[in-house]
Amino acid sequence: MEATPQFWSQMGEAFQQNLGKSFAQAMQHFQSIDLGGLSKDLAPVPQLKFHADKLQALQMQYFKDATELWNQSLHNSLQIKDRRFSGEAWNSNPVAAFNAATYLLNARTLMGLAEAVDADPKTRSRVRFAVEQWVAAAAPSNFLAFNAEAQKKALETKGESIAKGVKNLVHDIQQGHVSMTDESLFEVGKNVATTEGAVVFENEFFQLIEYKPLTAKVYERPFLLVPPCINKFYILDLQPENSFIRYAVSQGHRTFVVSWRNPDTSMADKTWDDYIEQAAIKAIETVQEITGAPKINALGFCVGGTILSTALAVLAARGEKPVASATFLTTLIDFTDTGILDVFIDENFVKFREMQMGKGGLLKGQDLASTFSFLRPNDLVWNYVVGNYLKGETPPPFDLLYWNSDSTNLPGPFYAWYLRNTYLENNLIKPGKAKVCGEKVDLRQVDLPVYIYGSREDHIVPIGGAYASTQVLPGKKRFVMGASGHIAGVINPPAANKRSHWLGAEGKFPKDVNDWIAGAKELPGSWWTDWSSWLKTHAGKQIAAPKGYGKGAKYKAIEPAPGRYVKAKA
């Protein structure tokens, strides 16, 4: 059976009416959903216009693909290449297969419509994001009435899978988030965050952990890690075999880590200045006092890197340069390229947050976690909705996803300052524009050797955003690009022999990251070994490893690592 003129006419009506209606629904959906409280606060998306030539081409492609789909369905030869519909139950059920194929066609066309919008880049990005969210949510696999695999399992288990799914749903409602792993199998300090050490200092912002040396000698310059305060530090210490902290200790570095306190209402008035002065700078000073070293080496990861770079600028403005070298892992300092997160940021959104919590309040950890999950909705949201609730499955144990679900709050004033001065106005790279701890921030004064790492597929800190630090920081630089994303790219131990990393010509940093990538050389395996070799050149001579933790009565061991701050739930 081939397509007739009547069929083509009907297809035209379908394109103009059904997809047009779906597109409008997608935009309404974006304005109504609560992605961690973000999308509701944005200015409305303006009335959209489309490029006529792109729209015409899209319509012709839709007709062609729809005709091919219809003819394939008549001959039971549908080819569905999407893992959501790859199970035998989908392929053996003609109605389910046709439903899935039709959904995928409409999804492609809706995304094509988003690309055809005639608007400025930010509006197009918002439209694209809105359509992606709606398309992901509308997949037939997300509904028991249409999910062939879930229906088959319900029949095979005589309804037990449905009962288990309801039980899982009730459990997740009670805990406040969708389960990505079996969280009952993990305990911080028992089977994650197990590297041996002790808390040697604490204040209301952080605990400072010192780790037990694994070598007879250590380098004279101690090593301080500043992780992101948006999540917990043990992403750097999941298991002994993939622990970045343990790796640093094994390389002969006397290692300290900032373990952030999970803010409660008592910290609702804390500011960015507080985190710089009372946490980052205090940690640097404390490590100096404990070790007696005039200079230390420091590392900042993600937001921890932004905090560290700000602290270094404040110290430089005071005429102090206590850090010999700095490492920045997937860090934004120049916020020109912020990737998908830019769709949320505008003046209205930032003003709303400033009015809401700029003088006090907490940004709940679950709001942040939901936002980051919806950046990859199929992988981090709907995949678990289907497995947990429709199929009644218990997700397998995975330490990284346990960490991902262990969210943290943020003080409102800290968050409001951060939004305006980084994502919205990009003030940190404007000499003297941002004032922190009474000092004008000028990153041109942060003239120390730096090691900058970016992940090629990072959706939170795009590779261009990480690379942009090479254009801001004036000291001697080494930039390395790793494979994979924001977390998997960083947590890539050498023993696993996975992935690759790229190095460019030494001292050559063209303005455009794509020019750097074009000239970079791919090397197999982890970037950790390259970083370790680099850090050793800035670590000084080797001395006898300390036999205990801290120093004297002032900095005695308070409790074993990982401490109690990291165990506090949001």
Side-chain angles (χ1 to χ4, degrees), residues 325-353:
S325 76
T327 299
F328 296 104
L329 306 181
T330 60
T331 292
L332 288 172
I333 296 175
D334 179 346
F335 283 73
T336 301
D337 180 6
T338 58
I340 189 63
L341 289 174
D342 184 60
V343 304
F344 298 116
I345 308 299
D346 61 16
E347 181 66 31
N348 289 335
F349 167 64
V350 174
K351 277 186 175 178
F352 176 84
R353 286 305 199 186

Side-chain angles (χ1 to χ4, degrees), residues 512-534:
D512 192 326
V513 65
N514 293 310
D515 293 334
W516 183 92
I517 292 173
K521 180 181 179 181
E522 182 177 0
L523 300 169
S526 173
W527 60 272
W528 289 14
T529 52
D530 179 80
W531 168 79
S532 179
S533 298
W534 176 87

Side-chain angles (χ1 to χ4, degrees), residues 417 421 427-428 430-436 439-442:
W417 190 98
N421 286 278
N427 287 334
L428 293 179
K430 302 171 184 175
K433 177 68 174 178
K435 193 172 185 180
V436 180
E439 307 291 348
K440 292 183 177 181
V441 173
D442 186 352

Side-chain angles (χ1 to χ4, degrees), residues 194-216:
T194 60
T195 299
E196 189 174 356
V199 174
V200 293
F201 172 83
E202 68 181 40
N203 62 17
E204 64 177 323
F205 292 91
F206 74 102
Q207 288 187 315
L208 184 68
I209 301 172
E210 180 180 2
Y211 288 92
K212 182 179 180 180
L214 295 174
T215 54

Side-chain angles (χ1 to χ4, degrees), residues 115-173:
E115 297 297 336
V117 168
D118 184 6
D120 62 273
K122 185 152 188 166
T123 298
R124 283 200 304 272
S125 294
R126 283 188 173 174
V127 170
R128 189 184 307 115
F129 182 80
V131 173
E132 285 175 345
Q133 297 301 317
W134 190 85
V135 163
S141 52
N142 297 340
F143 303 91
L144 183 60
F146 302 112
N147 190 314
E149 284 185 307
Q151 293 168 3
K152 182 181 178 182
K153 188 166 186 179
L155 291 172
E156 291 174 345
T157 63
K158 299 180 180 179
E160 184 179 344
S161 63
I162 295 177
K164 181 67 185 303
V166 172
K167 183 180 178 181
N168 290 344
L169 176 60
V170 172
H171 173 268
D172 286 358
I173 290 173

Side-chain angles (χ1 to χ4, degrees), residues 148-355:
E149 284 185 307
Q151 293 168 3
K152 182 181 178 182
K153 188 166 186 179
L155 291 172
E156 291 174 345
T157 63
K158 299 180 180 179
E160 184 179 344
S161 63
I162 295 177
K164 181 67 185 303
V166 172
K167 183 180 178 181
N168 290 344
L169 176 60
V170 172
H171 173 268
D172 286 358
I173 290 173
Q174 291 174 338
Q175 75 174 3
H177 63 265
V178 177
S179 294
M180 297 182 180
T181 186
D182 187 348
E183 297 178 24
S184 66
L185 300 178
F186 296 97
E187 183 179 347
V188 175
K190 295 292 186 182
N191 54 6
V192 291
T194 60
T195 299
E196 189 174 356
V199 174
V200 293
F201 172 83
E202 68 181 40
N203 62 17
E204 64 177 323
F205 292 91
F206 74 102
Q207 288 187 315
L208 184 68
I209 301 172
E210 180 180 2
Y211 288 92
K212 182 179 180 180
L214 295 174
T215 54
K217 291 186 175 182
V218 296
Y219 290 99
E220 63 179 340
R221 283 181 182 156
F223 177 52
L224 171 67
L225 290 92
V226 183
C229 56
I230 288 177
N231 285 103
K232 296 183 177 180
F233 83 87
Y234 65 88
I235 185 58
L236 298 169
D237 190 30
L238 287 174
Q239 303 294 331
E241 59 270 18
N242 66 1
S243 170
F244 185 85
I245 290 172
R246 185 178 179 84
Y247 179 78
V249 175
S250 72
Q251 298 300 299
H253 300 286
R254 188 175 180 183
T255 301
F256 297 80
V257 171
V258 169
S259 174
W260 297 102
R261 182 180 171 194
N262 201 340
D264 56 22
T265 53
S266 69
M267 295 184 67
D269 62 343
K270 302 307 179 185
T271 65
W272 181 264
D273 282 24
D274 291 328
Y275 271 67
I276 300 302
E277 191 74 72
Q278 302 301 325
I281 292 176
K282 185 63 177 178
I284 291 170
E285 293 173 348
T286 304
V287 171
Q288 286 180 291
E289 289 184 27
I290 290 173
T291 62
K295 284 182 176 287
I296 73 170
N297 292 312
L299 177 150
F301 179 19
C302 190
V303 179
T306 311
I307 290 172
L308 176 61
S309 64
T310 306
L312 294 176
V314 169
L315 289 168
R318 296 172 178 173
E320 302 174 30
K321 297 191 177 181
V323 176
S325 76
T327 299
F328 296 104
L329 306 181
T330 60
T331 292
L332 288 172
I333 296 175
D334 179 346
F335 283 73
T336 301
D337 180 6
T338 58
I340 189 63
L341 289 174
D342 184 60
V343 304
F344 298 116
I345 308 299
D346 61 16
E347 181 66 31
N348 289 335
F349 167 64
V350 174
K351 277 186 175 178
F352 176 84
R353 286 305 199 186
E354 288 172 337
M355 290 187 295

